[in-house]
Amino acid sequence: MKDETDQHSALPSSVSENIGTIADFYARHEEHVTTTQRAMEKVALFLGSPVYIAGNIGFILCWILINITATDLHFKTFDPPPFSLLQGIITLNAFVISTTVLIRQNRMSRLADHHAHLDLQVNLLTEEKTSKIIELIDQLRRDLPNVRSEVDSEAEELAKPADPKAVLEAIESKNDAPYGEAGERARKSDE
C-alpha cells in the first residue's frame, strides 16, 4: 500500500487524473455488461485455457482407447470407429467455443472502437493545439525587436491546422489504390 502511495506522489497530478479518467471509463464500460455477458465471457476464458485443451485431448484419447479396447475386454463398444458420436461431441464443442469467443470479441471490439474514437479526438485536438502554438511562437518571433524576422516557410506550413476531411479523403484514395477495380468502384459509388 505504501509503495502505491509513493508511486502516485511521484506522478504529476495530470497523469494521476488521466489514470483516474481511464479507470472510470473502464468502470462505466463494465457497468453496462449484463450478467449473461459476464457468464459467457467467463466460459470463453475457461474454454481458451490450456487446462481445457488438455482436458479435451485427454477426453478424446480416453474415448478412443475405451472404444478400441472394449471388445478385447469383453465390453460392448458404444462408439465404434470412425467414432461418429465423438465427432458429434467435438463438433458441438467447436460450436460452443466459437460462439463464446465471438460474444467476447464483439464486446472487446466495441471497447476498441471507443478507444479508437478517443484516440482520434485527442489526436485532432493535439494537432489543433500544436498548430496554434507554432502560430503563436512565429507571431512572437516577428514581434520581438531583437530577433531577426525571417520568413520560415516550414513554420508557416505547420501553423496551418490540418483539414481532417481532406486528410481522410487522401488516406482513403491511397488505401483504395492497391485494390484496383474494387477500390475504383467504391470511390465511384461514393461520388
Side-chain angles (χ1 to χ4, degrees):
M1 186 74 170
K2 188 176 182 179
D3 289 338
E4 241 179 73
T5 307
D6 291 342
Q7 255 183 340
H8 287 296
S9 64
L11 295 174
S13 62
S14 62
V15 172
S16 295
E17 288 173 17
N18 289 341
I19 290 171
T21 301
I22 292 167
D24 291 344
F25 168 75
Y26 282 113
R28 281 192 313 273
H29 187 75
E30 286 298 315
E31 285 175 5
H32 298 291
V33 177
T34 64
T35 306
T36 306
Q37 179 77 32
R38 283 187 208 287
M40 293 304 289
E41 288 185 12
K42 285 180 182 176
V43 169
L45 288 173
F46 174 71
L47 294 177
S49 70
V51 171
Y52 185 74
I53 293 169
N56 264 331
I57 291 171
F59 172 78
I60 292 167
L61 291 175
C62 286
W63 185 285
I64 292 170
L65 185 65
I66 289 170
N67 280 288
I68 288 175
T69 60
T71 40
D72 295 339
L73 299 172
H74 307 295
F75 292 112
K76 184 180 178 202
T77 343
F78 57 91
D79 189 22
F83 310 112
S84 319
L85 186 57
L86 179 61
Q87 290 177 24
I89 292 170
I90 292 172
T91 302
L92 178 62
N93 188 31
F95 169 74
V96 170
I97 289 172
S98 61
T99 303
T100 55
V101 166
L102 284 173
I103 290 169
R104 179 162 173 75
Q105 282 181 336
N106 284 340
R107 187 167 84 89
M108 293 298 110
S109 177
R110 283 192 305 273
L111 186 60
D113 287 347
H114 289 302
H115 281 200
H117 185 76
L118 177 63
D119 285 346
L120 178 60
Q121 291 295 329
V122 169
N123 288 337
L124 289 172
L125 185 60
T126 302
E127 192 278 331
E128 286 178 26
K129 288 179 178 183
T130 305
S131 295
K132 186 64 178 175
I133 289 169
I134 292 170
E135 179 186 334
L136 291 172
I137 289 173
D138 195 44
Q139 250 180 359
L140 182 63
R141 182 181 54 81
R142 284 191 306 262
D143 291 346
L144 289 173
N146 56 347
V147 176
R148 281 190 331 199
S149 183
E150 295 178 5
V151 175
D152 186 349
S153 59
E154 186 178 7
E156 286 178 2
E157 186 66 28
L158 291 173
K160 297 176 188 173
D163 178 10
K165 290 178 185 173
V167 172
L168 185 58
E169 287 172 6
I171 290 170
E172 287 174 340
S173 69
K174 272 284 196 213
N175 285 342
D176 283 345
Y179 302 113
E181 211 176 282
E184 275 303 310
R185 279 196 308 270
R187 236 188 329 278
K188 286 179 183 174
S189 69
D190 288 342
E191 294 173 353

